[in-house]
Amino acid sequence: MTALFNFQSLILVILLTICTSTYAHYYFPAFIDRNKNNYFMGVFWKCARVGERMSPYIALGLVVMAMMEFWG
């Protein structure tokens, strides 16, 4: 089953995309900022912004998802 049809996997993919985009923006800010108006790469710019501004909530979501994977 792909991540698109399983809600828990979809949330995990979204959280990991946000974390990866934030990490990439920290090390390569010019690359992410240059492509913010591009349709495909703009998604990563938006994910980086969400990761920067909501990092405690994203971290909490990842911890909850890790616990659900461990016990579920």
Side-chain angles (χ1 to χ4, degrees):
M1 184 179 281
T2 65
L4 297 176
F5 299 119
N6 187 354
F7 184 70
Q8 184 176 357
S9 297
L10 177 66
I11 296 298
L12 185 62
V13 167
I14 291 171
L15 286 172
L16 290 176
T17 303
I18 290 171
C19 290
T20 303
S21 299
T22 306
Y23 182 80
H25 186 261
Y26 180 74
Y27 285 106
F28 307 109
F31 179 72
I32 300 291
D33 290 339
R34 179 180 57 206
N35 294 317
K36 70 180 176 181
N37 293 330
N38 190 348
Y39 180 73
F40 180 71
M41 294 297 285
V43 172
F44 297 111
W45 180 80
K46 290 174 187 171
C47 287
R49 289 289 170 246
V50 168
E52 290 172 356
R53 294 166 195 241
M54 299 184 68
S55 60
Y57 299 110
I58 299 298
L60 180 66
L62 285 172
V63 168
V64 168
M65 293 300 289
M67 284 192 274
M68 288 175 65
E69 287 291 325
F70 181 71
W71 285 307

